Amino acid sequence: MWQYQAPLRDMRFVIEEWLAAPNDWQNTASFAGLDGELAAQILEEAGRFSAGVLAPLNASGDQEGCQYAQGKVKTPTGFPEAYKAFVEGGWASLACAEADGGQGLPQLLNAALMEMLFAANHAWAMYPGIAHGAYECLKAHGSDALKALYLPAIVSGEILPTMCLTEPQAGSDVGLLRTRAEPSAAGQYRVTGNKVFVSGGEQDLTDNILHLVLARLPDAPAGSRGISLFLVPKILPDGRRNSISCDGIEHKMGIRGSATCTLSFEGAEGWLLGEPHRGLAAMFVMMNSARLHVGLQGLGHAEAAWQNASAYAAERQQMRAVSRPEGKPEAKVDPIHYHPAMRRTLLELRTLTEGMRALGYWTAHGLDLAEYADTPEQRQQAHRWTALLTPVIKAYFTEQGFRLASSALQVFGGYGYVREYAIEQTLRDSRIAMIYEGTNEIQANDLLLRKVIGDAGQGLQDLLQRMQQEIEQSESIPSCQTYARALADYGDKTSAITTTLIQAASTDPERPYRAAGDYLRLIGLLSLGFVWLRSARLAAGREADPFYAAKQESAAFYFNYLLPEANHRLALLGATRHGLPFLAE
Amino acid sequence: MWQYQAPLRDMRFVIEEWLAAPNDWQNTASFAGLDGELAAQILEEAGRFSAGVLAPLNASGDQEGCQYAQGKVKTPTGFPEAYKAFVEGGWASLACAEADGGQGLPQLLNAALMEMLFAANHAWAMYPGIAHGAYECLKAHGSDALKALYLPAIVSGEILPTMCLTEPQAGSDVGLLRTRAEPSAAGQYRVTGNKVFVSGGEQDLTDNILHLVLARLPDAPAGSRGISLFLVPKILPDGRRNSISCDGIEHKMGIRGSATCTLSFEGAEGWLLGEPHRGLAAMFVMMNSARLHVGLQGLGHAEAAWQNASAYAAERQQMRAVSRPEGKPEAKVDPIHYHPAMRRTLLELRTLTEGMRALGYWTAHGLDLAEYADTPEQRQQAHRWTALLTPVIKAYFTEQGFRLASSALQVFGGYGYVREYAIEQTLRDSRIAMIYEGTNEIQANDLLLRKVIGDAGQGLQDLLQRMQQEIEQSESIPSCQTYARALADYGDKTSAITTTLIQAASTDPERPYRAAGDYLRLIGLLSLGFVWLRSARLAAGREADPFYAAKQESAAFYFNYLLPEANHRLALLGATRHGLPFLAE
């Protein structure tokens, strides 16, 4: 019933036209051998793997779930074999450097791969999901000896990493963690403590697991400045089993094929990664790409929701429609995708999904430019706007992924609520992404407090300037004029409210915290306006091709029906001048 | 972990102060013996049953689910015993007439009871959920012989009814149904066909089940004008088993303790209820109270979400807050309900939940007045605004119930996603209410197309006049002035857009269908504005009592933070002048 095919045509549009990424690749020493054609072939292959191997295990993995017994975890039937195929296909090493045995491809292509994996089977994709982040972290902070020991195995996919952060009393507030690490022989440490919510903390996909563990050294200051990062393998290099036990797995609302483990470290042997007490900074290397990837989960769920809802709505016949496409004869009963409420739902699904794809890939491309662009200025600038957009991608995309999964479920009516059609699984799976990797509330604070106010609005000005360039290019095209004007107007209003919030913070320090959620949604809407203005410009005059005709329709829908929410967010941001009472205790 | 206590204090406020229902009762012959004190005692008892008997079975019922084997259904452990206690407590007959063996109490108290049952255990409450509607239907349309046969057993709770409408090809479009009914001996009929999504179609709570079945007579015209209603018992009066088989139950996302059955009728014996081909009209007697009750499911889930999220947020400590209640000393870590984002979430939960309670009970009270008020004018007027508000209650409340369950889940962070805290169950359970009993899209069409445009805006004018009366009473109170003005302004804008939509419909018949969803949300927001204006007036000058101080805070929050969405809905209603393309086939 549930189906997934990689949206290759739209991926090519985003990469080759919207981003014109091949031009940047050719101007960048690291990617000079890559062109649009080769990228498309790689994505086609990734699409075959996702649709052919992962998607068929999505519903069965959910129904079977993971089984825990006596410290061991059995993942759902087919998961280990799918991982073997993933490794053999070279997907684990896509964006790892060639010098490390990887394929040296851009983050941009890795983002497209991630979208497909998460769309096809979120639970399965959790296992390799943070491998690239761990690779970057080890590469940046590991000693040569540690890198020699573990980097090739991560790149090859022979070993899978985990992140061990959360403890029962330390969730969003990682500074409350209590796990200890004591120096032992030969530069090693012994780690003791309990970690919860460790994805893939135990599994049967790889023989060894490499845990990245946050813990405190004996002399550590309290709070988040006393946290160090340790590398703690399940199996030690000499073949001994480390003192780590998996005490159980969570019974979750969704991603039931992903083992969410409780781990006990009982004097487990490991190594310090990075400097003492600087563990959060070291882990932060993983965070930007990890947050982008969680955002791509939202995109993947939106894509799956769109595909399944649109297929069902074209097939299901209920009631006579109030209007029909030109040339369609009257009928006693019509496919439900003729009904206006369903058309609106489906257009919203398509428009937001495609818009998020361009925005998410733009950010991934920014990560590449921040690392590989030729001049330091280019790298600095790319770093700035990707840092600004990362919390938006994480929070806005995951919120939309969940909301759109619910919209798609609604298209199915009663059938949406039963297991058989698996759209209810998309809804359940999508919900976690609003929580982990920093809750969406924390992302909103990060955006407004750190990335905007902390930077006196500079990063935002960069973003608005890029929009301004697009506005100038578009406004001479008749079909784009009203969109360009609307976007310019929202840009001005966003600047103004940003100034207001920055000023207000000095007398009412709580106000930005009251405003952060709406501010993030405003930036999300504005960024998607930028996406759709450029898409409309690229599609102008090409309506003979149904692909571009659909882009024009979606742009119109975005500017007429979706972007007006930006006005609402602006009004709410004004309303945050009103204080919020405390709740009775 | 998951907890529920009936919100008796707020229920009394709504019934005794907001509605001043005891005044109406004393002026109505049928309820003259009822006063606020007695009503409160009844609700207290209902609260004890809901919290003490049903709530403890909520999580276990979800985990165990229903078991189907060889045509029989086993409901979760404790469900049959809870039903026995329900019947023995007299709850089944609360709002049935005394002449029929019931307690003759108002729909208003039954609504409060329903809120509690659904909040405490939605799955369980599905079994008796439509009994009152079936009672009304049989009473209005049954022959004396049928009434003598079945009315007392429904009133006593000895027999539970079902509604058998949906067939695989006939969901929202009931006109497509194919089940046939052929006349047989002695005024009886033989019913043949397959029904799906029959809640409680088979169960182990009662020995007999009374199916209300929509089917076609041999001479029936096609479509919805050829549908008749039949009463088909599982066990015939002579003790024979009727030819009905339960072929299976659905595996659902939520309300897993409710058996959703596929039934085959194979020449099953039954009786016609009402006139031939007028089955939908006969069933419509059930619909108004059934839709109100589904809306109350949304309210119940919102209440459960609020209770659980606020309790957790008061207890869970993470991070230092940017501000604290006056007099609270600085601390290294604060309860999360100090954090502005959480305060905003919790205030929204409380404000919408309490607002929906007043609005829902107002409508239930309207059903009583429509039946029992002294003058035909009063009855007519009450009928008019309850008919207008019923689709709003059904769709707006269920949408909010789901959305607020998700907000509450977010308060729990990662713990919200695991089974242990059961808030994820609230989210899963709440989702169905947006679909069944007429999808929310169908409710929106009903509101705008039938209840507003079909009535040339008359019913809406009645509603706005009632708001105007409240505005006039409130505007002299200083603390209410800005609220009164805001509500008056939104009322004018709502009138204006309604006129626009009515006029536009003549040249663009599709436009109201594009607009219906936003229109329903606008009316929901406006109605809650009315609720909070009156609540603010009632609370004025009484802030020394924490209950009324909280009402004042909630009113302020509603007018500052929530009602502005009405402007957004007005803007979108304007945007619906833009057509929507058809999707590619």
Side-chain angles (χ1 to χ4, degrees), chain B residues 195-280:
Chain B
K195 295 287 182 179
V196 295
F197 296 154
V198 182
S199 294
E202 183 55 53
Q203 34 86 349
D204 55 5
L205 274 52
T206 54
D207 293 331
N208 201 357
I209 301 175
L210 199 59
H211 301 290
L212 292 162
V213 186
L214 290 181
R216 293 187 182 285
L217 289 166
D219 59 342
S224 59
R225 287 178 195 164
I227 294 173
S228 307
L229 180 61
F230 298 87
L231 206 153
V232 187
K234 173 179 167 183
I235 312 286
L236 290 159
D238 61 11
R240 279 179 303 135
R241 179 77 197 245
N242 212 343
S243 312
I244 308 165
S245 61
C246 175
D247 301 335
I249 58 174
E250 303 289 346
H251 299 281
K252 305 190 301 299
M253 178 183 176
I255 54 165
R256 299 187 65 249
S258 168
T260 306
C261 301
T262 301
L263 296 183
S264 294
F265 294 83
E266 287 146 7
E269 298 171 43
W271 302 274
L272 183 67
L273 209 53
E275 291 169 45
H277 316 319
R278 301 271 302 148
L280 288 183

Side-chain angles (χ1 to χ4, degrees), chain B residues 20-365:
Chain B
N23 292 349
D24 289 330
W25 292 337
Q26 273 159 37
N27 295 328
T28 309
S30 311
F31 306 127
L34 183 64
D35 63 10
E37 201 53 50
L38 178 58
Q41 283 169 20
I42 294 165
L43 296 186
E44 204 175 312
E45 201 55 51
R48 240 192 303 274
F49 174 75
S50 303
V53 177
L54 295 186
L57 300 174
N58 191 43
S60 60
D62 177 65
Q63 281 160 41
E64 196 178 329
C66 288
Q67 310 300 325
Y68 170 87
Q70 296 174 313
K72 290 195 177 165
V73 168
K74 189 186 163 307
T75 63
T77 305
F79 273 35
E81 293 75 13
Y83 183 71
K84 194 158 175 276
F86 178 79
V87 167
E88 282 167 4
W91 301 113
S93 62
L94 196 77
C96 300
E98 286 180 276
D100 300 319
Q103 303 194 34
L105 289 165
Q107 287 288 338
L108 172 54
L109 294 189
N110 199 43
L113 171 67
M114 286 290 163
E115 180 200 323
M116 295 186 229
L117 302 181
F118 286 120
N121 195 326
H122 183 170
W124 181 90
M126 290 298 290
Y127 295 101
I130 65 140
H132 187 83
Y135 159 79
E136 286 181 355
C137 182
L138 180 58
K139 198 170 171 179
H141 296 288
S143 66
D144 287 343
L146 277 182
K147 284 196 266 193
L149 206 51
Y150 290 115
L151 214 48
I154 288 179
V155 171
S156 72
E158 181 193 330
I159 196 167
L160 276 171
T162 75
M163 295 211 298
C164 304
L165 288 80
T166 305
E167 300 177 13
Q169 79 293 347
S172 291
D173 191 353
V174 74
L176 296 177
L177 68 81
R178 294 183 195 140
T179 296
R180 290 170 293 114
E182 308 212 345
S184 67
Q188 280 197 330
Y189 293 82
R190 288 197 171 266
V191 176
T192 302
N194 298 304
K195 295 287 182 179
V196 295
F197 296 154
V198 182
S199 294
E202 183 55 53
Q203 34 86 349
D204 55 5
L205 274 52
T206 54
D207 293 331
N208 201 357
I209 301 175
L210 199 59
H211 301 290
L212 292 162
V213 186
L214 290 181
R216 293 187 182 285
L217 289 166
D219 59 342
S224 59
R225 287 178 195 164
I227 294 173
S228 307
L229 180 61
F230 298 87
L231 206 153
V232 187
K234 173 179 167 183
I235 312 286
L236 290 159
D238 61 11
R240 279 179 303 135
R241 179 77 197 245
N242 212 343
S243 312
I244 308 165
S245 61
C246 175
D247 301 335
I249 58 174
E250 303 289 346
H251 299 281
K252 305 190 301 299
M253 178 183 176
I255 54 165
R256 299 187 65 249
S258 168
T260 306
C261 301
T262 301
L263 296 183
S264 294
F265 294 83
E266 287 146 7
E269 298 171 43
W271 302 274
L272 183 67
L273 209 53
E275 291 169 45
H277 316 319
R278 301 271 302 148
L280 288 183
M283 196 159 247
F284 219 81
V285 174
M286 304 175 68
M287 282 291 176
N288 265 340
S289 67
R291 288 182 172 177
L292 169 65
H293 291 168
V294 173
L296 296 173
Q297 293 167 8
L299 167 59
H301 288 300
E303 173 67 34
W306 151 247
Q307 287 188 22
N308 284 281
S310 58
Y312 183 80
E315 202 178 83
R316 174 76 169 169
Q317 309 222 343
Q318 292 284 283
M319 294 185 284
R320 194 182 266 239
V322 63
S323 50
R324 294 178 182 77
E326 237 180 272
K328 277 278 163 190
E330 289 271 321
K332 283 187 187 160
V333 59
D334 286 301
I336 61 172
H337 74 169
Y338 288 178
H339 296 301
M342 291 296 103
R343 265 148 67 204
R344 199 166 150 181
T345 299
L346 293 168
L347 282 163
E348 188 170 343
L349 275 157
R350 186 178 80 187
T351 303
L352 286 176
T353 302
E354 293 181 7
M356 290 193 290
R357 179 167 299 120
L359 190 57
Y361 288 15
W362 185 40
T363 308
H365 189 50

Side-chain angles (χ1 to χ4, degrees), chain A residues 169 173 318-319 323 344 510, chain B residues 169 173 318-319 323 510:
Chain A
Q169 78 293 346
D173 191 352
Q318 293 283 284
M319 294 185 285
S323 50
R344 200 166 149 180
E510 203 198 76
Chain B
Q169 79 293 347
D173 191 353
Q318 292 284 283
M319 294 185 284
S323 50
E510 204 199 75

Side-chain angles (χ1 to χ4, degrees), chain B residues 480-497:
Chain B
C480 298
Q481 268 166 11
T482 57
Y483 308 158
R485 263 180 235 139
L487 193 63
D489 182 46
Y490 281 118
D492 292 345
K493 287 174 177 163
T494 299
S495 287
I497 195 75

Side-chain angles (χ1 to χ4, degrees), chain A residues 61-66 76 123 251-259 428-429, chain B residues 419:
Chain A
D62 177 65
Q63 281 161 43
E64 196 179 329
C66 288
H251 298 282
K252 304 189 301 299
M253 178 183 177
I255 56 166
R256 299 186 66 250
S258 168
R428 288 186 289 107
D429 287 354
Chain B
R419 190 202 274 173

Side-chain angles (χ1 to χ4, degrees), chain A residues 88-218:
Chain A
E88 283 168 3
W91 301 113
S93 63
L94 196 76
C96 302
E98 286 179 277
D100 300 319
Q103 305 195 32
L105 289 165
Q107 286 287 340
L108 172 55
L109 294 189
N110 199 44
L113 171 67
M114 286 289 162
E115 180 201 322
M116 295 185 229
L117 302 181
F118 286 120
N121 195 326
H122 183 170
W124 180 89
M126 290 299 289
Y127 295 102
I130 65 142
H132 186 83
Y135 159 78
E136 286 183 355
C137 183
L138 180 58
K139 199 172 172 178
H141 296 289
S143 65
D144 287 344
L146 277 181
K147 283 195 268 192
L149 207 51
Y150 290 115
L151 215 48
I154 288 180
V155 171
S156 72
E158 182 194 330
I159 196 168
L160 277 170
T162 75
M163 294 212 298
C164 303
L165 288 80
T166 305
E167 300 177 13
Q169 78 293 346
S172 291
D173 191 352
V174 75
L176 297 176
L177 70 81
R178 295 184 194 138
T179 297
R180 291 169 292 113
E182 310 213 344
S184 68
Q188 280 197 328
Y189 293 83
R190 289 197 171 266
V191 175
T192 302
N194 298 305
K195 295 287 181 179
V196 296
F197 296 154
V198 181
S199 295
E202 183 55 54
Q203 35 86 350
D204 55 6
L205 273 52
T206 53
D207 293 331
N208 201 357
I209 300 174
L210 199 59
H211 302 290
L212 292 163
V213 186
L214 290 181
R216 292 186 183 286
L217 290 166

Side-chain angles (χ1 to χ4, degrees), chain A residues 354-365:
Chain A
E354 293 181 6
M356 290 194 290
R357 179 167 300 119
L359 190 58
Y361 288 15
W362 185 41
T363 308
H365 189 50

